[in-house]
Amino acid sequence: MVKKIKNLKHEALNYHSKFPTGKIQISPTKDYSTQKDLSLAYSPGVAEPCKEIYRSYKTVYKYTSKGNLVAVITNGSAVLGLGNIGALASKPVMEGKALLFKIFSGIDVFDIEINESDPNKFIEIVKAIAPTFGGINLEDIKSPEAFEIEKRLKFELDIPVMHDDQHGTAIISGAALLNALSYVKKNIQEIKMIVNGAGSAAISCTRIYKKLGLNPNNILMFDSKGLLHSSRKDLTTEKEEFAVNTKLQNLSEAIKDSDVFIGLSIGGVLTEKMLKSMSKNPIVFAMANPDPEIDYNVAVQTRSDVIIATGRSDYPNQVNNVLGFPYIFRGALDVRATIINDEMKLAAIYAIASLAKESVPEQVNIVYNKKNISFGKDYIIPKPFDNRLITRVAPAVAKAAMDSGVARSPIINWTKYREILLDRMEYENKIIRMIQKRAQSNPKKIVFCNGEEYNILKSIQILQEKGIILNSTIVLGNKHKIQTLINKHNLKIDPIIFDPKKNDQKVKDYVNILLYKNKKIIKSNAYHIMQNLDYFGAMMVDQGEADIVMTGYSNPFRYSLKPILDIIGTNNLCQKTAGLMILLTKHGPIFLADIAVIKNPTTIELVRITIMTTKIVKYFDMVPCIAMLSFNNVLSKTNKIYKTVDFLHKKYPNLVVLHGESQLNLSLNKLCLEKNLTYFNSKISNNKANVFIFPNIESGNLTYKFFIGLEKIKTIGPVLLGIKKPAYIMQMKSNIEEIVNLSTFSVIDAQIRH
């Protein structure tokens, strides 16, 4: 659950007012640093795309941002929880909507607040500005005007238009309803539903439920004046659709033996007595904000069999529109749909509902501070930070647009399209996907030395689900403890478990090998040594019983390194190992070495570290650009850094070592590098440095920790360089994502070695 923010007013106002004020800004997408750039961006170059668009209006999607630009438009007449606060006061909400569009689907937004309450005038204003946009998201417009405004704009414009307050809630709650009914094994065609609220959202929700199979005769809808009865003379056209002729008069009577309660009204209207009168396994969607129709805790205390969803983020099953609108518009824009029709909405519902039944990515567990989220009463809809939504919902919507004949630019290659969708997200995730895809091509067997840890076991489940490691994964430790952890957290794995303390014959076999390999070890100590999990795991790899050994979770780095060196050892040419850390930044991977092993490397050791690191860089299909770092930019020729660079230039003339000795700031700044051509012993590259070789372990480790402390950066490492066979030492108490990333990389290493 999300903790309530203390001093919410102060925090919220500070959040919005700190520089730069607001939540969104416009950023250039093209170069603008030279006179040529400006002449292309504006006069005279800009005339050329203008003429092309004039010749054919379709080309506007080719030469402008229209195809990825949505207008979030309101008059502020029905802002959630605030009511009719007007256009200007609604701007923070619209900026917030713009932010959500951008971060979840990569769609750019202009928020437009129109100071007009007359529906006809509002429609004309929107129509007049519509050529700018690829789609229009109507927001916070009061009922019944919202129905007319959306209906006319959908008919009179040839771009997607959607009033999210209506359809967003309908789509997300529709997915939740399907899954809730599936969980309690009830048929949507047979259930009895009570809808409390008859505004635009409630009516749109109920309409979509009917399209999902709900029997219209089994719906009773209430507004602030009571049941929508056919005898009432005050009903709008939309409300008349749900008017019934029945003797029932009030909510407490109507709700008896009902299966589903849908609340889009006011807080506290559903009492404990009413909830108790509902049928077995009742489904309650109390979506009033900020106070639900019944408090979540009250509901679950009243009935243990209730499935409840709310609009709040601090309770399970939040009906959050962000699960839908970014991806619905994404799919609609990508096929240049003329409209968002019912087929597209239903496709979104089924895609969202289906996703909730799949295994949840670990990053979602981390965000919500859970260990193993899975489909059930407290998880009937996906979480907003599930990155899979974009690749499930957007393609489903796009395909539905194509199948229903409203797409003007159909998608041909769906695999490529999903890759493009993922590329719109963070670059760091793109790198992770790249190495995962490569690892999946030939999965390997890993022996995990720290098998009694939940994070290790959960990582194994993720790696096996992704097809990165073999199902014959080995874990070391106490079998009872490991199996208890697996059962407790309902992990879907069945690893091979070895406990050296219980496997006497295996230990004896390894002891003989150990004594043969290392004559310095005393025979009386050998048996005890081989019961150590790290020694045992390293020996399994040495003897070919596993492809990779993974350790380090429970012990400091140096304690885990010794068994690997004693059993597996280094390559003959390397003599010493070194530690490489890979940082996955928004601008691409950065490689830092040595950050873990050699305290004060010699010139020849720096050369070896550099060469070993460049081989790893090539795993990422990158050209290594090396910066040999030092305290000064100009050093004497007797300095070890100078000697290292000089040797590399002579021995490896094709290797790019940027400007020889260079400080960190110069290595990262391409412009600085180009201006400082007077350094002796230097090379020039068209790229910034991506490999940083440090003069000693202190500087390397401090720099690494500074980087990850400065901002949240995904990492892979440390990677042990120069070891004969794949052996990896994770950082102590690594999180699951770090373990998965390092394990994935280790599989690629094993593939290349083989």
Side-chain angles (χ1 to χ4, degrees):
M1 292 185 184
V2 177
K3 293 182 178 179
K4 292 183 179 179
I5 301 174
K6 294 181 179 179
N7 303 315
L8 177 61
K9 178 179 178 180
H10 173 78
E11 292 283 342
L13 292 177
N14 182 60
Y15 174 86
H16 285 81
S17 63
K18 66 182 179 182
F19 183 84
T21 56
K23 295 189 286 286
I24 57 174
Q25 65 181 12
I26 297 174
S27 298
T29 60
K30 301 292 188 294
D31 291 335
Y32 53 87
S33 58
T34 67
Q35 180 61 37
K36 180 182 177 182
D37 292 336
L38 296 181
S39 68
L40 292 172
Y42 200 54
S43 180
V46 74
E48 298 307 320
C50 290
K51 289 186 283 188
E52 290 298 316
I53 294 168
Y54 182 73
R55 293 188 191 101
S56 173
Y57 289 151
K58 292 180 181 179
T59 60
V60 71
Y61 288 94
K62 180 178 181 180
Y63 296 114
T64 76
S65 62
K66 177 182 172 75
N68 194 50
L69 187 60
V70 165
V72 173
I73 302 180
T74 190
N75 61 6
S77 59
V79 179
L80 182 65
L82 299 173
N84 188 354
I85 60 174
L88 198 58
S90 70
K91 185 172 176 62
V93 180
M94 301 310 117
E95 284 189 356
K97 195 70 177 282
L99 181 147
L100 296 176
F101 262 111
K102 185 64 176 179
I103 65 174
F104 285 111
S105 64
I107 293 174
D108 296 316
V109 166
F110 287 160
D111 66 291
I112 299 175
E113 296 75 34
I114 300 175
N115 190 21
E116 181 56 70
S117 59
D118 183 286
N120 291 318
K121 292 180 180 179
F122 185 92
I123 290 168
E124 291 306 314
I125 293 170
V126 175
K127 286 171 58 180
I129 63 174
T132 302
F133 303 101
I136 291 174
N137 182 108
L138 298 171
E139 193 79 13
D140 293 347
I141 302 170
K142 71 183 181 72
S143 178
E145 290 91 333
F147 292 108
E148 179 63 20
I149 290 171
E150 186 195 44
K151 181 180 178 181
R152 281 188 52 191
L153 287 174
K154 288 176 71 172
F155 180 76
E156 297 177 28
L157 295 177
D158 65 347
I159 57 175
V161 177
M162 187 173 83
H163 186 210
D164 187 48
D165 301 311
Q166 298 178 49
H167 306 295
T169 305
I171 290 164
I172 309 310
S173 65
L177 178 64
L178 288 180
N179 280 345
L181 291 171
S182 170
Y183 184 76
V184 298
K185 296 179 172 55
K186 290 186 179 182
N187 190 329
I188 193 170
Q189 297 175 341
E190 300 172 356
I191 63 167
K192 177 184 176 183
M193 177 181 286
I194 304 298
V195 181
N196 198 67
S200 58
I203 288 173
S204 294
C205 284
T206 314
R207 283 174 174 170
I208 208 79
Y209 301 158
K210 289 198 297 181
K211 292 184 180 298
L212 291 171
L214 180 62
N215 186 338
N217 297 322
N218 293 344
I219 303 169
L220 294 176
M221 183 179 287
F222 291 79
D223 65 8
S224 59
K225 296 179 181 178
L227 180 68
L228 301 191
H229 198 278
S230 55
S231 63
R232 285 176 55 178
K233 305 300 182 184
D234 60 342
L235 301 181
T236 62
T237 303
E238 289 75 25
K239 290 182 180 182
E240 286 178 351
E241 179 183 339
F242 299 98
V244 295
N245 185 8
T246 178
K247 293 180 180 180
L248 296 171
Q249 293 297 317
N250 55 54
L251 182 60
S252 60
E253 292 179 0
I255 203 170
K256 289 178 181 178
D257 298 321
S258 63
D259 299 286
V260 179
F261 172 88
I262 303 293
L264 287 153
S265 52
I266 58 173
V269 71
L270 181 63
T271 66
E272 296 170 58
K273 184 178 179 181
M274 292 179 188
L275 178 58
K276 288 178 180 178
S277 72
M278 293 180 70
S279 68
K280 184 180 179 182
N281 297 319
I283 297 167
V284 174
F285 290 179
M287 295 181 282
N289 256 324
D291 299 314
E293 283 79 2
I294 185 170
D295 179 77
Y296 173 85
N297 293 315
V298 170
V300 296
Q301 289 168 9
T302 301
R303 291 195 62 161
S304 60
D305 62 342
V306 67
I307 295 180
I308 181 167
T310 70
R312 293 178 53 138
S313 61
D314 51 352
Y315 298 132
N317 299 325
Q318 183 193 16
V319 179
N320 191 331
N321 287 15
V322 79
L323 295 173
F325 70 80
Y327 316 113
I328 294 166
F329 272 95
R330 179 77 276 159
L333 291 176
D334 290 341
V335 294
R336 285 174 48 199
T338 57
I339 192 174
I340 295 175
N341 56 26
D342 287 339
E343 290 86 349
M344 295 159 74
K345 296 172 198 170
L346 290 171
I349 289 173
Y350 291 122
I352 294 167
S354 176
L355 185 59
K357 293 183 177 181
E358 297 182 20
S359 180
V360 176
E362 183 55 29
Q363 64 193 42
V364 177
N365 288 319
I366 292 170
V367 169
Y368 293 93
N369 196 28
K370 301 289 184 181
K371 285 223 167 170
N372 201 17
I373 298 173
S374 59
F375 179 70
K377 287 173 61 177
D378 291 336
Y379 180 69
I380 55 174
I381 40 177
K383 301 289 188 181
F385 285 98
D386 192 327
N387 289 333
R388 300 172 299 171
L389 282 161
I390 193 169
T391 58
R392 305 301 176 82
V393 182
V397 170
K399 188 175 187 305
M402 291 165 55
D403 293 343
S404 60
V406 299
R408 291 175 291 191
S409 180
I411 293 167
I412 306 300
N413 188 329
W414 289 99
T415 301
K416 184 178 180 181
Y417 175 58
R418 288 184 175 87
E419 286 296 319
I420 292 171
L421 290 173
L422 289 170
D423 288 349
R424 292 182 179 275
M425 300 297 99
E426 295 176 342
Y427 185 81
E428 307 95 294
N429 291 330
K430 181 179 179 180
I431 301 169
I432 294 296
R433 293 196 309 275
M434 179 189 76
I435 67 171
Q436 286 180 349
K437 190 172 183 179
R438 185 168 179 177
Q440 289 164 350
S441 66
N442 187 8
K444 298 296 181 183
K445 180 190 286 188
I446 299 181
V447 52
F448 288 90
C449 296
N450 311 112
E452 297 173 16
E453 301 289 346
Y454 167 78
N455 279 10
I456 297 294
L457 298 174
K458 178 63 176 179
S459 298
I460 291 171
Q461 176 175 303
I462 294 169
L463 289 162
Q464 288 184 351
E465 287 175 345
K466 291 180 179 292
I468 291 169
I469 64 174
L470 297 173
N471 290 337
S472 54
T473 296
I474 302 168
V475 294
L476 304 183
N478 183 281
K479 187 169 185 177
H480 176 72
K481 289 182 180 178
I482 294 170
Q483 200 61 56
T484 299
L485 268 177
I486 292 171
N487 296 338
K488 177 182 177 182
H489 298 289
N490 195 29
L491 297 175
K492 305 296 189 295
I493 58 172
D494 185 21
I496 299 169
I497 303 173
F498 273 105
D499 183 353
K501 294 181 179 179
K502 303 288 185 181
N503 203 316
D504 190 63
Q505 186 56 51
K506 194 78 169 174
V507 171
K508 287 180 179 178
D509 292 341
Y510 284 170
V511 164
N512 292 330
I513 298 169
L514 177 64
L515 292 172
Y516 177 79
K517 289 172 70 71
N518 194 329
K519 306 298 183 183
K520 294 180 180 180
I521 293 177
I522 301 172
K523 187 174 182 180
S524 59
N525 293 338
Y527 189 86
H528 176 71
I529 289 172
M530 282 316 308
Q531 285 186 317
N532 178 285
L533 300 182
D534 288 346
Y535 274 95
F536 195 91
M539 188 64 83
M540 295 193 89
V541 171
D542 183 73
Q543 295 302 302
E545 296 177 45
D547 300 304
I548 305 151
V549 59
M550 188 72 61
T551 186
Y553 185 88
S554 305
N555 295 314
F557 184 90
R558 64 183 183 277
Y559 292 139
S560 296
L561 177 60
K562 189 176 187 305
I564 290 172
L565 293 176
D566 286 349
I567 300 296
I568 299 176
T570 60
N571 292 325
N572 293 332
L573 296 177
C574 295
Q575 296 182 4
K576 286 186 179 180
T577 184
L580 168 69
M581 185 61 71
I582 306 168
L583 308 184
L584 307 181
T585 76
K586 294 179 180 178
H587 306 290
I590 292 176
F591 304 83
L592 309 179
D594 173 16
I595 56 93
V597 183
I598 307 176
K599 288 186 177 181
N600 190 20
T602 64
T603 295
I604 196 63
E605 285 169 346
L606 285 171
V607 169
R608 288 170 176 161
I609 291 168
T610 303
I611 299 305
M612 290 188 292
T613 301
T614 60
K615 292 180 180 179
I616 299 296
V617 175
K618 292 174 183 177
Y619 286 13
F620 290 80
D621 297 322
M622 295 173 60
V623 176
C625 296
I626 303 156
M628 300 297 300
L629 300 178
S630 69
F631 179 75
N632 291 316
N633 288 321
V634 180
L635 301 172
S636 69
K637 294 186 179 182
T638 60
N639 182 276
K640 71 176 181 180
I641 302 298
Y642 181 92
K643 289 181 178 179
T644 302
V645 176
D646 187 57
F647 181 89
L648 288 169
H649 285 172
K650 290 176 181 177
K651 186 72 174 178
Y652 303 95
N654 294 325
L655 198 62
V656 176
V657 182
L658 296 181
H659 286 266
E661 318 79 7
S662 53
Q663 292 174 317
L664 186 59
N665 64 321
L666 290 176
S667 303
L668 289 169
N669 190 317
K670 183 180 177 183
L671 191 59
C672 280
L673 287 172
E674 291 173 350
K675 287 183 178 180
N676 289 274
L677 305 182
T678 58
Y679 294 157
F680 59 90
N681 202 28
S682 64
K683 282 194 176 183
I684 307 299
S685 170
N686 291 325
N687 299 309
K688 293 185 292 186
N690 52 27
V691 176
F692 297 92
I693 307 299
F694 293 91
N696 53 57
I697 193 173
E698 288 87 354
S699 58
N701 202 267
L702 284 171
T703 302
Y704 156 67
K705 289 180 178 177
F706 174 77
F707 269 123
I708 63 172
L710 196 61
E711 60 177 302
K712 189 176 181 181
I713 294 179
K714 296 180 187 295
T715 63
I716 299 176
V719 176
L720 282 181
L721 304 173
I723 299 295
K724 282 183 181 179
K725 293 187 177 184
Y728 285 79
I729 304 173
M730 69 189 78
Q731 298 178 84
M732 277 189 71
K733 305 302 177 184
S734 292
N735 64 41
I736 292 169
E737 183 180 46
E738 290 168 340
I739 298 169
V740 169
N741 290 347
L742 185 59
S743 301
T744 302
F745 183 82
S746 76
V747 170
I748 296 173
D749 184 20
Q751 291 172 352
I752 292 172
R753 288 171 185 260
H754 288 174

